[in-house]
């Protein structure tokens, strides 16, 4: 990624834009926060990957999301859907249903979001998950098969599946959920890895989540709380190299 930084179009929420851009820069990718319907589709055709996060929705943003997703698919570019709190309102449910119909390459969400997306009963509250990742594993497998996509469920121990293969990824820190929009930033990073290795979307997703987990562990070592963790996390991400990723990634078959 750092040898040839991918251009990643991030249609994300207002809260996440700054930290998501910094996360991508630290990892070696080039972020572009382009969401307007008038240009989102045109830009998606030239970007290396697209990520869509529905955190702060509006009708205009949905138009941009759909235009970008259609253009990315047409151009053969991978795109990632982050269905933030899609179960909360009818507006969100409808938006996500329309985006799912456009066939995202990867779906990344917390356990409550993935359970609800598969038609199950979740205990999610707003953007916060109230369900353990292991409870969402069956839902993730079903969703991956139905959508023909890679599904990543993130939490204390992450779970990634393409419907056939599945792995769990350990690491990270309990401080990570206390830094706003860090999960949204992970969605953007998944897009960057997918752009770097489009021939192996499953492996790219696992690598992105492993990278985040290792950086989180490293940042937590000297952090006094979420404030100092936040900048330490960016530094840890920027310092991470391929050898450290290979040596410290804790990936197991599921």
């Amino acid at each position: 990624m750092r040898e040839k930084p991918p251009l990643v179009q991030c249609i994300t929420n207002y809260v996440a834009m700054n930290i998501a851009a910094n996360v991508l820069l630290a990892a070696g990718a080039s972020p572009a926060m382009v969401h307007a319907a008038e240009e989102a589709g045109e830009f998606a055709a030239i970007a290396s990957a697209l990520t869509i996060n529905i955190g702060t929705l509006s009708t205009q943003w949905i138009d941009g999301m759909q235009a970008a997703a259609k253009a990315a698919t047409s151009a053969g570019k991978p795109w990632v859907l982050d269905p933030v709190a899609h179960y909360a309102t009818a507006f969100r449910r409808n938006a996500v249903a329309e985006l799912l119909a456009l066939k995202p390459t990867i779906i990344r969400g917390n356990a409550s979001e993935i359970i609800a997306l598969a038609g199950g009963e979740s205990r999610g509250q707003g953007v916060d998950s109230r369900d353990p990742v292991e409870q969402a594993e069956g839902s993730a497998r079903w969703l991956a098969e139905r959508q023909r996509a890679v599904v990543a469920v993130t939490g204390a121990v992450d779970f990634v599946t393409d419907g056939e293969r599945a792995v769990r990824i350990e690491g990270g820190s309990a401080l990570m959920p206390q830094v706003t929009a860090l999960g949204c930033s992970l969605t953007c990073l998944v897009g960057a890895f997918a752009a770097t290795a489009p021939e192996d979307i499953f492996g790219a997703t696992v690598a992105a989540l492993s990278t985040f987990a290792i950086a989180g562990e490293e940042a937590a070592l000297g952090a006094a709380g979420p404030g100092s963790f936040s900048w330490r996390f960016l530094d840890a991400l920027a310092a991470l190299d391929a050898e450290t990723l290979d040596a410290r990634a804790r990936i197991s078959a599921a």
Side-chain angles (χ1 to χ4, degrees):
M1 188 188 304
R2 288 178 175 139
E3 291 175 358
K4 190 176 180 181
L7 176 62
V8 183
Q9 181 179 0
C10 304
I11 303 181
T12 192
N13 61 76
Y14 291 116
V15 179
M17 285 186 185
N18 183 268
I19 189 168
N22 284 334
V23 161
L24 287 192
L25 290 171
S30 178
M33 276 49 187
V34 178
H35 63 265
E38 292 81 1
E39 64 173 349
E42 183 179 356
F43 197 90
I46 63 172
S48 304
L50 165 70
T51 68
I52 295 178
N53 173 300
I54 69 162
T56 50
L57 272 184
S58 71
T59 300
Q60 292 75 21
W61 277 45
I62 291 173
D63 291 344
M65 291 172 180
Q66 292 179 349
K70 290 174 183 177
T73 299
S74 179
K77 308 292 180 66
W79 73 277
V80 189
L81 174 62
D82 188 341
V84 179
H86 66 91
Y87 44 73
T89 67
F91 184 55
R92 288 175 176 274
R93 289 191 294 273
N94 292 337
V96 165
E98 291 171 352
L99 290 168
L100 284 174
L102 298 177
K103 299 298 182 183
T105 315
I106 304 163
I107 302 168
R108 190 217 69 87
N110 62 39
S112 295
E113 290 162 349
I114 298 303
I115 289 170
L117 211 56
E121 292 290 331
S122 78
R123 297 185 295 127
Q125 181 178 353
V127 300
D128 297 323
S129 178
R130 292 291 186 269
D131 298 289
V133 170
E134 56 266 26
Q135 192 169 323
E137 291 184 1
S139 297
R141 291 179 190 271
W142 180 89
L143 186 62
E145 292 177 359
R146 179 182 176 85
Q147 288 289 140
R148 297 184 179 179
V150 170
V151 176
V153 190
T154 53
V157 177
D158 299 333
F159 178 78
V160 181
T161 183
D162 61 3
E164 296 181 0
R165 296 169 291 176
V167 299
R168 297 186 184 96
I169 302 160
E170 298 182 59
S173 164
L175 289 171
M176 296 176 85
Q178 298 181 43
V179 179
T180 188
L182 206 56
C184 303
S185 302
L186 174 55
T187 296
C188 297
L189 187 65
V190 169
F193 271 80
T196 302
E199 74 287 351
D200 182 12
I201 294 297
F202 180 82
T205 304
V206 172
L209 271 59
S210 299
T211 297
F212 229 62
I214 295 168
E217 285 183 332
E218 189 65 26
L221 294 177
S228 56
F229 176 87
S230 182
W231 65 261
R232 290 177 187 275
F233 179 81
L234 289 176
D235 284 352
L237 195 57
L240 189 61
D241 56 27
E243 292 74 19
T244 303
L245 177 59
D246 287 339
R248 292 184 56 181
R250 289 188 281 158
I251 306 166
S252 59

